[in-house]
Amino acid sequence: EIVMTQSPATLSVSPGERATLSCRASQSVSSNLAWYQQKPGQAPRLLIYGASTRATGIPARFSGSGSGTEFTLTISSLQSEDFAVYYCQQYNNWPLYTFGQGTKLEIK
Amino acid sequence: EVQLVESGGGLVQPGGSLRLSCAASGFTFSSYEMNWVRQAPGKGLEWVSYISSSGSTIYYADSVKGRFTISRDNAKNSLYLQMNSLRAEDTAVYYCARHKRWLQLHDAFDIWGQGTMVTVSS
């Protein structure tokens, strides 16, 4: 099983600032990585697939990068609606998709 | 509007059974692979099961293998999860999620339902 590790567990950032979230895979997943956003009481929402391609309707302030075992989700200028929990997911080891444990992005 | 709506959750005793349903609308259900993903209270996401568009290929997480059965009825635009021999650790919100593939290179779960809560407790 490929283990996905996200850091930090909690990130405190002020509105308007940049947020950088990390995700590490226990073995290479190439660029087969997705990012999801989840707000309290809501279902996850797909943000990024292919490590760097934004899903339909996702604002340009969200960007993804990385390949192999190291990945980053960057939110360039935080809006109030961006404070949520973010999960990475690998789909290299199909169908045993695995998620990271999540990073909570909170208002500083 | 593309939508997935789960139902069937509730309180069940350990060892009991429950059947979850997921009704799809706004897209050609029979063309899409589907998944169940769960989230224990205050915890992260765990993939549970996958079914191909025709229903001919099925996979399960080790944690549910032999106890859960995924199925679909394309004529009814519906996905199901039959859960038997339930344990306390199966307590979670269960989401159905559409599996989207891009050019056979990348895939992800692009549409999610709102989830249905399953509580296993005596």
Side-chain angles (χ1 to χ4, degrees):
Chain A
E1 177 183 328
I2 298 177
V3 178
M4 307 301 293
T5 303
Q6 293 185 241
S7 60
T10 303
L11 181 62
S12 299
V13 183
S14 299
E17 293 188 340
R18 174 189 297 258
T20 302
L21 290 67
S22 296
C23 175
R24 174 176 292 178
S26 60
Q27 64 189 77
S28 177
V29 297
S30 185
S31 60
N32 297 320
L33 186 105
W35 288 95
Y36 299 85
Q37 176 195 66
Q38 187 179 34
K39 297 179 181 179
Q42 296 186 17
R45 173 195 183 196
L46 176 65
L47 299 175
I48 301 281
Y49 63 90
S52 61
T53 302
R54 281 188 302 276
T56 303
I58 301 303
R61 64 180 182 273
F62 290 91
S63 63
S65 63
S67 66
T69 61
E70 301 285 342
F71 300 89
T72 300
L73 175 69
T74 301
I75 310 171
S76 59
S77 178
L78 280 165
Q79 308 295 304
S80 57
E81 62 267 29
D82 298 336
F83 293 95
V85 179
Y86 292 83
Y87 294 95
C88 61
Q89 177 203 32
Q90 67 79 21
Y91 51 89
N92 191 68
N93 188 23
W94 186 83
L96 301 179
Y97 298 111
T98 47
F99 293 89
Q101 81 281 14
T103 289
K104 181 180 181 181
L105 181 57
E106 64 177 26
I107 300 174
K108 187 175 182 179
Chain B
E1 179 191 4
V2 175
Q3 197 173 6
L4 297 170
V5 178
E6 301 93 338
S7 60
L11 174 63
V12 61
Q13 292 187 339
S17 298
L18 213 53
R19 189 196 195 204
L20 306 183
S21 299
C22 170
S25 59
F27 65 98
T28 304
F29 178 71
S30 60
S31 296
Y32 286 88
E33 303 151 89
M34 297 293 296
N35 295 271
W36 287 99
V37 178
R38 68 184 180 183
Q39 186 171 38
K43 302 297 184 182
L45 301 167
E46 179 189 15
W47 171 80
V48 172
S49 185
Y50 159 94
I51 187 167
S52 62
S53 56
S54 67
S56 60
T57 301
I58 286 171
Y59 294 103
Y60 299 99
D62 287 344
S63 57
V64 306
K65 200 173 296 181
R67 301 187 298 121
F68 289 12
T69 303
I70 191 172
S71 62
R72 65 190 297 160
D73 186 335
N74 287 340
K76 294 184 177 180
N77 292 331
S78 292
L79 175 72
Y80 306 102
L81 187 67
Q82 177 67 44
M83 304 186 295
N84 298 330
S85 303
L86 282 161
R87 307 166 180 167
E89 55 264 37
D90 295 319
T91 295
V93 175
Y94 284 74
Y95 297 99
C96 60
R98 189 176 80 170
H99 198 125
K100 178 73 179 288
R101 293 186 188 269
W102 290 269
L103 301 174
Q104 300 299 313
L105 291 176
H106 295 293
D107 53 341
F109 302 166
D110 70 328
I111 303 294
W112 297 63
Q114 86 289 350
T116 187
M117 182 70 202
V118 172
T119 303
V120 184
S121 174
S122 55

